[in-house]
Amino acid sequence: MEYTLHIPIQKMSCTSCAHGIEKKIGNLNGVKRINVHLLTESATITFDPKNIRLYTLIQEIQSLGYTTTTQTFHFSIKGMSCASCVHQIEQTLINQPYIISATVYLATERAAVTMIDNHTEEAQEIIGELGYKANIIKETDSNLIDSEKERKK
């Protein structure tokens, strides 16, 4: 199975930068195609997620001195009862080609999921298919939670 992602890359200044990224990433096992676009500061990478993870691609790009833009989204998750639930959700999420990392917290019934682009609906569906109820925590909800914590101190 192949998956294609559009990855933002900052700090490129010339075509040599773009070619260097293409050469390094293009030689990695599991990468099928890569096109680096200097003007849009991005790369389109087609890869086999069974052979290489997005996390590895990001690390390799960063090892060349460039930065990538990722987003971390927070979810509330209902229905977890033990560490096995946490492990199942984390493993299922990080096996998705667009997710870099996933950390699930049983005690607070929350998860932090870092990904390229906004795939929150897909992440919610995946968690739902596992038998749990997931909702994205909007920034305003997060601010309200922080305010409540401060007030209770």
Side-chain angles (χ1 to χ4, degrees):
M1 177 179 130
E2 291 183 358
Y3 196 82
T4 301
L5 273 179
H6 180 78
I7 300 177
I9 301 174
Q10 293 82 40
K11 295 190 179 179
M12 292 187 292
S13 59
C14 63
T15 56
S16 291
C17 297
H19 291 304
I21 295 169
E22 285 178 345
K23 185 175 181 178
K24 170 101 179 199
I25 303 303
N27 286 327
L28 296 174
N29 184 36
V31 174
K32 306 296 182 187
R33 284 179 301 285
I34 178 169
N35 292 308
V36 178
H37 316 283
L38 178 63
L39 293 177
T40 60
E41 294 187 305
S42 65
T44 303
I45 303 175
T46 302
F47 64 102
D48 182 348
K50 290 184 180 183
N51 291 326
I52 191 164
R53 296 188 26 100
L54 175 59
Y55 179 78
T56 303
L57 294 171
I58 298 295
Q59 279 187 316
E60 291 294 331
I61 292 168
Q62 291 174 345
S63 76
L64 294 170
Y66 306 102
T67 58
T68 56
T69 303
T70 61
Q71 294 177 284
T72 299
F73 296 93
H74 298 273
F75 295 86
S76 67
I77 302 176
K78 300 293 182 198
M80 297 184 296
S81 59
C82 63
S84 291
C85 299
V86 169
H87 181 73
Q88 179 188 34
I89 295 168
E90 286 177 341
Q91 290 304 306
T92 303
L93 287 172
I94 63 171
N95 283 323
Q96 304 309 308
Y98 48 83
I99 293 181
I100 298 166
S101 67
T103 305
V104 178
Y105 306 95
L106 179 61
T108 59
E109 297 183 309
R110 303 233 187 268
V113 182
T114 303
M115 58 185 87
I116 295 288
D117 294 327
N118 184 339
H119 291 275
T120 54
E121 288 181 16
E122 292 97 324
Q124 275 182 282
E125 287 175 23
I126 289 164
I127 295 168
E129 289 170 6
L130 294 173
Y132 308 99
K133 174 75 174 150
N135 290 304
I136 186 79
I137 299 174
K138 296 180 181 83
E139 193 166 319
T140 53
D141 294 342
S142 180
N143 290 340
L144 289 173
I145 292 166
D146 292 341
S147 297
E148 276 183 37
K149 285 180 186 174
E150 282 298 315
R151 198 181 55 205
K152 289 180 181 179
K153 284 184 181 179

PDB file of all heavy atoms in Angstrom, residues 1 7 32 38 43 52 57 67 75-77 84 102 105 113 131 149:
ATOM      1  N   MET A   1       0.838  -1.177   0.000  1.00  0.00           N
ATOM      2  CA  MET A   1       0.000   0.000   0.000  1.00  0.00           C
ATOM      3  C   MET A   1       0.887   1.245   0.000  1.00  0.00           C
ATOM      4  O   MET A   1       1.841   1.333   0.752  1.00  0.00           O
ATOM      5  CB  MET A   1      -0.880  -0.016   1.248  1.00  0.00           C
ATOM      6  CG  MET A   1      -1.747   1.198   1.385  1.00  0.00           C
ATOM      7  SD  MET A   1      -2.758   1.081   2.867  1.00  0.00           S
ATOM      8  CE  MET A   1      -2.424   2.665   3.572  1.00  0.00           C
ATOM      9  N   ILE A   7       4.202  17.492   2.832  1.00  0.00           N
ATOM     10  CA  ILE A   7       4.883  17.874   4.073  1.00  0.00           C
ATOM     11  C   ILE A   7       5.505  19.259   3.925  1.00  0.00           C
ATOM     12  O   ILE A   7       6.343  19.470   3.042  1.00  0.00           O
ATOM     13  CB  ILE A   7       5.989  16.849   4.424  1.00  0.00           C
ATOM     14  CG1 ILE A   7       5.366  15.469   4.607  1.00  0.00           C
ATOM     15  CG2 ILE A   7       6.753  17.281   5.659  1.00  0.00           C
ATOM     16  CD1 ILE A   7       6.370  14.373   4.870  1.00  0.00           C
ATOM     17  N   LYS A  32       8.736   5.778  -2.310  1.00  0.00           N
ATOM     18  CA  LYS A  32       8.494   5.476  -3.724  1.00  0.00           C
ATOM     19  C   LYS A  32       8.804   6.670  -4.622  1.00  0.00           C
ATOM     20  O   LYS A  32       9.403   6.530  -5.666  1.00  0.00           O
ATOM     21  CB  LYS A  32       7.038   5.041  -3.940  1.00  0.00           C
ATOM     22  CG  LYS A  32       6.605   3.894  -3.063  1.00  0.00           C
ATOM     23  CD  LYS A  32       7.386   2.646  -3.367  1.00  0.00           C
ATOM     24  CE  LYS A  32       6.887   1.501  -2.502  1.00  0.00           C
ATOM     25  NZ  LYS A  32       7.679   0.319  -2.622  1.00  0.00           N
ATOM     26  N   LEU A  38      10.571  24.082  -3.860  1.00  0.00           N
ATOM     27  CA  LEU A  38      11.220  25.193  -3.179  1.00  0.00           C
ATOM     28  C   LEU A  38      10.261  26.361  -2.963  1.00  0.00           C
ATOM     29  O   LEU A  38      10.187  26.926  -1.873  1.00  0.00           O
ATOM     30  CB  LEU A  38      12.459  25.644  -3.958  1.00  0.00           C
ATOM     31  CG  LEU A  38      13.227  26.841  -3.398  1.00  0.00           C
ATOM     32  CD1 LEU A  38      13.790  26.505  -2.018  1.00  0.00           C
ATOM     33  CD2 LEU A  38      14.345  27.236  -4.355  1.00  0.00           C
ATOM     34  N   ALA A  43       7.183  19.269   0.365  1.00  0.00           N
ATOM     35  CA  ALA A  43       7.545  18.065  -0.373  1.00  0.00           C
ATOM     36  C   ALA A  43       6.311  17.183  -0.480  1.00  0.00           C
ATOM     37  O   ALA A  43       5.499  17.113   0.448  1.00  0.00           O
ATOM     38  CB  ALA A  43       8.651  17.303   0.341  1.00  0.00           C
ATOM     39  N   ILE A  52       8.385   2.290   6.052  1.00  0.00           N
ATOM     40  CA  ILE A  52       8.956   3.498   6.653  1.00  0.00           C
ATOM     41  C   ILE A  52       7.830   4.314   7.272  1.00  0.00           C
ATOM     42  O   ILE A  52       6.743   4.424   6.712  1.00  0.00           O
ATOM     43  CB  ILE A  52       9.769   4.330   5.630  1.00  0.00           C
ATOM     44  CG1 ILE A  52      10.561   5.424   6.347  1.00  0.00           C
ATOM     45  CG2 ILE A  52       8.882   4.891   4.533  1.00  0.00           C
ATOM     46  CD1 ILE A  52      11.660   6.027   5.486  1.00  0.00           C
ATOM     47  N   LEU A  57      10.648   9.836   8.323  1.00  0.00           N
ATOM     48  CA  LEU A  57      10.790  10.830   7.247  1.00  0.00           C
ATOM     49  C   LEU A  57      11.042  12.222   7.832  1.00  0.00           C
ATOM     50  O   LEU A  57      11.929  12.946   7.377  1.00  0.00           O
ATOM     51  CB  LEU A  57       9.548  10.848   6.355  1.00  0.00           C
ATOM     52  CG  LEU A  57       9.275   9.585   5.543  1.00  0.00           C
ATOM     53  CD1 LEU A  57       7.913   9.667   4.875  1.00  0.00           C
ATOM     54  CD2 LEU A  57      10.371   9.363   4.520  1.00  0.00           C
ATOM     55  N   THR A  67      13.297  22.383   8.877  1.00  0.00           N
ATOM     56  CA  THR A  67      12.224  22.172   9.843  1.00  0.00           C
ATOM     57  C   THR A  67      10.950  21.784   9.098  1.00  0.00           C
ATOM     58  O   THR A  67      10.774  22.134   7.931  1.00  0.00           O
ATOM     59  CB  THR A  67      11.961  23.430  10.701  1.00  0.00           C
ATOM     60  OG1 THR A  67      11.648  24.523   9.845  1.00  0.00           O
ATOM     61  CG2 THR A  67      13.163  23.782  11.545  1.00  0.00           C
ATOM     62  N   PHE A  75      -7.664  15.198  22.110  1.00  0.00           N
ATOM     63  CA  PHE A  75      -8.954  14.524  22.081  1.00  0.00           C
ATOM     64  C   PHE A  75      -9.361  14.134  23.482  1.00  0.00           C
ATOM     65  O   PHE A  75      -8.504  13.813  24.313  1.00  0.00           O
ATOM     66  CB  PHE A  75      -8.867  13.229  21.257  1.00  0.00           C
ATOM     67  CG  PHE A  75      -8.582  13.430  19.802  1.00  0.00           C
ATOM     68  CD1 PHE A  75      -7.283  13.551  19.349  1.00  0.00           C
ATOM     69  CD2 PHE A  75      -9.616  13.497  18.884  1.00  0.00           C
ATOM     70  CE1 PHE A  75      -7.007  13.730  18.003  1.00  0.00           C
ATOM     71  CE2 PHE A  75      -9.356  13.674  17.530  1.00  0.00           C
ATOM     72  CZ  PHE A  75      -8.056  13.795  17.095  1.00  0.00           C
ATOM     73  N   SER A  76     -10.659  14.138  23.738  1.00  0.00           N
ATOM     74  CA  SER A  76     -11.172  13.473  24.935  1.00  0.00           C
ATOM     75  C   SER A  76     -11.614  12.090  24.466  1.00  0.00           C
ATOM     76  O   SER A  76     -12.148  11.941  23.370  1.00  0.00           O
ATOM     77  CB  SER A  76     -12.346  14.248  25.544  1.00  0.00           C
ATOM     78  OG  SER A  76     -13.461  14.216  24.676  1.00  0.00           O
ATOM     79  N   ILE A  77     -11.353  11.087  25.286  1.00  0.00           N
ATOM     80  CA  ILE A  77     -11.693   9.710  24.913  1.00  0.00           C
ATOM     81  C   ILE A  77     -12.441   9.062  26.076  1.00  0.00           C
ATOM     82  O   ILE A  77     -11.921   8.966  27.184  1.00  0.00           O
ATOM     83  CB  ILE A  77     -10.428   8.886  24.575  1.00  0.00           C
ATOM     84  CG1 ILE A  77      -9.650   9.541  23.444  1.00  0.00           C
ATOM     85  CG2 ILE A  77     -10.825   7.447  24.210  1.00  0.00           C
ATOM     86  CD1 ILE A  77      -8.342   8.849  23.109  1.00  0.00           C
ATOM     87  N   SER A  84      -4.365  -1.534  28.751  1.00  0.00           N
ATOM     88  CA  SER A  84      -4.515  -2.189  27.447  1.00  0.00           C
ATOM     89  C   SER A  84      -5.307  -1.313  26.479  1.00  0.00           C
ATOM     90  O   SER A  84      -5.015  -1.285  25.283  1.00  0.00           O
ATOM     91  CB  SER A  84      -5.214  -3.539  27.594  1.00  0.00           C
ATOM     92  OG  SER A  84      -4.373  -4.445  28.247  1.00  0.00           O
ATOM     93  N   ALA A 102       1.334   9.535  19.123  1.00  0.00           N
ATOM     94  CA  ALA A 102       0.065   9.553  19.853  1.00  0.00           C
ATOM     95  C   ALA A 102       0.352   9.153  21.294  1.00  0.00           C
ATOM     96  O   ALA A 102       0.995   8.133  21.548  1.00  0.00           O
ATOM     97  CB  ALA A 102      -0.933   8.592  19.227  1.00  0.00           C
ATOM     98  N   TYR A 105      -3.729   9.310  27.714  1.00  0.00           N
ATOM     99  CA  TYR A 105      -3.674   9.411  29.170  1.00  0.00           C
ATOM    100  C   TYR A 105      -4.953   8.834  29.762  1.00  0.00           C
ATOM    101  O   TYR A 105      -6.034   9.410  29.599  1.00  0.00           O
ATOM    102  CB  TYR A 105      -3.514  10.872  29.603  1.00  0.00           C
ATOM    103  CG  TYR A 105      -2.330  11.558  28.959  1.00  0.00           C
ATOM    104  CD1 TYR A 105      -2.491  12.322  27.801  1.00  0.00           C
ATOM    105  CD2 TYR A 105      -1.056  11.427  29.495  1.00  0.00           C
ATOM    106  CE1 TYR A 105      -1.401  12.938  27.202  1.00  0.00           C
ATOM    107  CE2 TYR A 105       0.033  12.038  28.893  1.00  0.00           C
ATOM    108  CZ  TYR A 105      -0.148  12.792  27.751  1.00  0.00           C
ATOM    109  OH  TYR A 105       0.929  13.401  27.158  1.00  0.00           O
ATOM    110  N   VAL A 113      -2.295  13.910  19.863  1.00  0.00           N
ATOM    111  CA  VAL A 113      -1.945  13.244  18.614  1.00  0.00           C
ATOM    112  C   VAL A 113      -1.270  14.267  17.697  1.00  0.00           C
ATOM    113  O   VAL A 113      -1.856  15.293  17.365  1.00  0.00           O
ATOM    114  CB  VAL A 113      -3.195  12.648  17.927  1.00  0.00           C
ATOM    115  CG1 VAL A 113      -2.814  11.919  16.654  1.00  0.00           C
ATOM    116  CG2 VAL A 113      -3.942  11.715  18.889  1.00  0.00           C
ATOM    117  N   GLY A 131     -14.046   1.098  19.575  1.00  0.00           N
ATOM    118  CA  GLY A 131     -15.056   0.983  20.613  1.00  0.00           C
ATOM    119  C   GLY A 131     -15.062   2.087  21.648  1.00  0.00           C
ATOM    120  O   GLY A 131     -15.712   1.975  22.687  1.00  0.00           O
ATOM    121  N   LYS A 149      -8.872  24.610  36.103  1.00  0.00           N
ATOM    122  CA  LYS A 149      -7.779  24.104  36.931  1.00  0.00           C
ATOM    123  C   LYS A 149      -7.205  25.220  37.782  1.00  0.00           C
ATOM    124  O   LYS A 149      -6.925  25.036  38.959  1.00  0.00           O
ATOM    125  CB  LYS A 149      -6.678  23.506  36.063  1.00  0.00           C
ATOM    126  CG  LYS A 149      -7.031  22.156  35.478  1.00  0.00           C
ATOM    127  CD  LYS A 149      -5.878  21.653  34.637  1.00  0.00           C
ATOM    128  CE  LYS A 149      -6.230  20.373  33.921  1.00  0.00           C
ATOM    129  NZ  LYS A 149      -5.169  19.952  32.998  1.00  0.00           N
TER     130      LYS A 149
END
